[in-house]
């Protein structure tokens, strides 16, 4: 089956200055990421803050240009063709942003915000625009009287519903949800997650669901990719990741999930030190300065993302030794 979206060896580097008198330095936010998403599938991407999740999401949608690698949608390169052809491709790929307070134009009314993609992509005649916007608002739980209000008149959860309606307007096949519930109260988070799942079933959507909360990732995802310092260090089916992990970083993340009575095996893994800066990544395995199992080889040779089981890949020199089952 041709993947709906496929990325190969994606690289994104930013030039930053750490002080007014220091020379510019290179920050590699995404470092050789390869992934694919099938039609109707939800791929969860998890990792600590600063690992490159949001940058990856923006690269996949063309909001940032990659410095290396390729991205294709239904087998067609997203950067190929004329501007009109690229626009047609990209209407099938939409985004729900993390912050519902800054991702909406405060000077536009709700009806105009949701209707803008319909106008840009010329999806409905002007005479039908209002009815289509009202229909989208109903899909996400907004009322008709909200049509002429401004974003500041809504709560965080309602603003995120506006963002979801805007993403749905272009009738996409894939939506990148960049931590869509992290800025919301817990009870509102559950409502938005349930809404996203209902929309997936109704419209046959595929999601790339970016989050740092592994409980939410497990609830939403069919497959999961774990990122660390710009790289994917483990990926596989949801239950393979949560029940049969193959990387020490994944093990540490899972041990930190709050549970009644503590961790499942009574052991909480406390990683030593802070995550390395992408301005000066360590040699060898990027996780080795914090890994409790690191050996000499880990500080010199970068482990490759290799298959450890059917569709289950990990980048660790000692996966079989540490996590063999049976």
């Amino acid at each position: 089956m041709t993947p709906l979206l496929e990325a190969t060896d994606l690289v994104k580097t930013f030039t930053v200055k750490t002080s007014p008198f220091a020379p510019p330095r290179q920050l590699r936010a995404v470092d050789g990421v390869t992934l694919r998403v099938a039609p109707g599938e939800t791929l969860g991407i998890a990792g600590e803050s600063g690992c490159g999740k949001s940058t990856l999401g923006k690269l996949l949608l063309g909001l940032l240009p990659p410095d290396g690698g390729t991205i294709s949608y239904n087998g067609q390169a997203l950067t190929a063709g004329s501007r009109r052809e690229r626009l047609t491709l990209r209407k099938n790929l939409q985004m729900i942003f993390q912050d519902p307070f800054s991702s909406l134009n405060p000077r536009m009314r709700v009806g105009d915000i949701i209707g803008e993609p319909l106008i840009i992509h010329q999806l409905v005649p002007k005479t039908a625009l209002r009815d289509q916007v009202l229909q989208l608002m109903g899909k996400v739980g907004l009322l008709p009287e909200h049509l002429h209000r401004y974003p500041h008149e809504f709560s965080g959860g309602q603003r995120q519903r506006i963002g979801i309606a805007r993403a749905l307007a272009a009738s996409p096949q894939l939506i990148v949800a960049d931590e869509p519930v992290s800025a919301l109260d817990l009870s509102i988070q559950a409502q938005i997650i349930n809404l996203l799942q209902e929309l997936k079933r109704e419209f046959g959507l595929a999601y790339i669901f970016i989050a740092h909360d592994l409980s939410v990732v497990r609830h939403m995802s069919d497959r999961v990719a774990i990122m660390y310092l710009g790289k994917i260090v483990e990926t596989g089916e949801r239950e393979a990741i949560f029940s049969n992990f193959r990387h020490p970083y994944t093990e540490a993340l899972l041990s930190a999930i709050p549970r009644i009575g503590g961790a499942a095996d009574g052991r909480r893994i406390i990683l030593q030190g802070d995550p390395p800066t992408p301005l000066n990544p360590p040699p060898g395995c990027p996780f080795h300065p914090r890994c409790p199992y690191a050996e000499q080889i880990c500080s010199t040779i970068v482990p490759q993302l290799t298959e450890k089981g059917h569709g289950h890949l990990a980048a660790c020199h000692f996966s079989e030794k540490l996590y063999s089952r049976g």
Side-chain angles (χ1 to χ4, degrees):
M1 179 187 295
T2 301
L4 182 65
L5 185 73
E6 184 172 22
T8 305
D9 294 328
L10 275 188
V11 173
K12 183 61 184 178
T13 302
F14 297 100
T15 300
V16 299
K17 293 197 69 173
T18 54
S19 73
F21 305 105
R25 300 176 67 185
Q26 298 299 306
L27 186 153
R28 183 164 284 202
V30 175
D31 190 3
V33 167
T34 294
L35 57 81
R36 56 177 56 191
V37 183
E41 178 183 47
T42 298
L43 172 66
I45 300 179
E48 291 173 286
S49 296
C51 71
K53 305 186 299 296
S54 295
T55 301
L56 175 60
K58 292 174 182 176
L59 287 173
L60 294 173
L61 295 188
L63 299 179
L64 290 174
D67 296 320
T70 60
I71 307 168
S72 61
Y73 170 77
N74 272 336
Q76 185 174 351
L78 282 179
T79 54
S82 66
R83 182 179 180 278
R84 171 56 60 182
E85 289 170 335
R86 294 197 302 271
L87 188 65
T88 301
L89 278 177
R90 286 174 177 166
K91 86 174 184 64
N92 294 305
L93 307 169
Q94 296 294 315
M95 190 166 197
I96 301 168
F97 293 91
Q98 176 179 357
D99 185 0
F101 298 93
S102 63
S103 60
L104 303 176
N105 189 331
R107 293 184 173 87
M108 293 178 68
R109 299 178 189 271
V110 167
D112 297 327
I113 291 171
I114 297 173
E116 189 173 32
L118 298 171
I119 297 171
I120 291 172
H121 296 288
Q122 301 176 1
L123 298 177
V124 297
K126 288 185 178 180
T127 54
L129 181 61
R130 185 178 186 276
D131 289 341
Q132 183 68 22
V133 169
L134 288 172
Q135 184 178 349
L136 286 164
M137 290 173 62
K139 293 288 185 185
V140 301
L142 296 171
L143 301 175
E145 52 263 36
H146 295 155
L147 185 69
H148 299 293
R149 295 184 185 176
Y150 289 94
H152 72 267
E153 300 179 68
F154 294 89
S155 67
Q158 288 174 314
R159 293 188 200 191
Q160 199 59 290
R161 290 174 188 270
I162 297 169
I164 293 170
R166 178 178 60 184
L168 281 178
S171 299
Q173 290 187 295
L174 182 143
I175 292 177
V176 174
D178 183 12
E179 305 217 32
V181 298
S182 63
L184 307 177
D185 293 339
L186 194 60
S187 60
I188 307 301
Q189 286 186 19
Q191 295 176 21
I192 297 299
I193 289 169
N194 290 336
L195 172 62
L196 291 173
Q197 290 184 315
E198 290 169 8
L199 295 172
K200 177 182 178 177
R201 289 190 293 268
E202 181 174 354
F203 296 105
L205 295 170
Y207 288 130
I208 294 176
F209 189 86
I210 298 171
H212 62 266
D213 187 333
L214 283 172
S215 298
V216 176
V217 170
R218 184 172 193 171
H219 186 70
M220 284 290 298
S221 305
D222 301 307
R223 288 190 304 117
V224 177
I226 304 294
M227 284 191 72
Y228 186 81
L229 209 64
K231 295 179 180 288
I232 290 179
V233 297
E234 184 168 8
T235 182
E237 299 294 326
R238 174 184 59 196
E239 291 310 316
I241 296 294
F242 282 86
S243 303
N244 193 23
F245 48 82
R246 295 285 179 166
H247 195 281
Y249 180 59
T250 308
E251 180 184 19
L253 287 180
L254 294 178
S255 78
I257 297 176
R259 296 180 176 91
I260 296 174
D265 60 359
R267 184 168 65 103
R268 171 74 182 272
I269 298 173
I270 307 297
L271 296 177
Q272 301 301 312
D274 297 321
T277 170
L279 286 170
N280 186 27
C285 174
F287 186 59
H288 88 265
R290 306 172 74 197
C291 180
Y293 311 114
E295 298 185 18
Q296 180 61 35
I297 188 177
C298 303
S299 63
T300 56
I301 298 177
V302 179
Q304 300 303 307
L305 195 63
T306 54
E307 191 157 1
K308 309 299 180 180
H310 180 65
H312 190 171
L313 291 79
C316 177
H317 293 300
F318 303 109
S319 282
E320 288 80 5
K321 175 182 175 182
L322 293 171
Y323 305 114
S324 58
R325 295 294 187 256

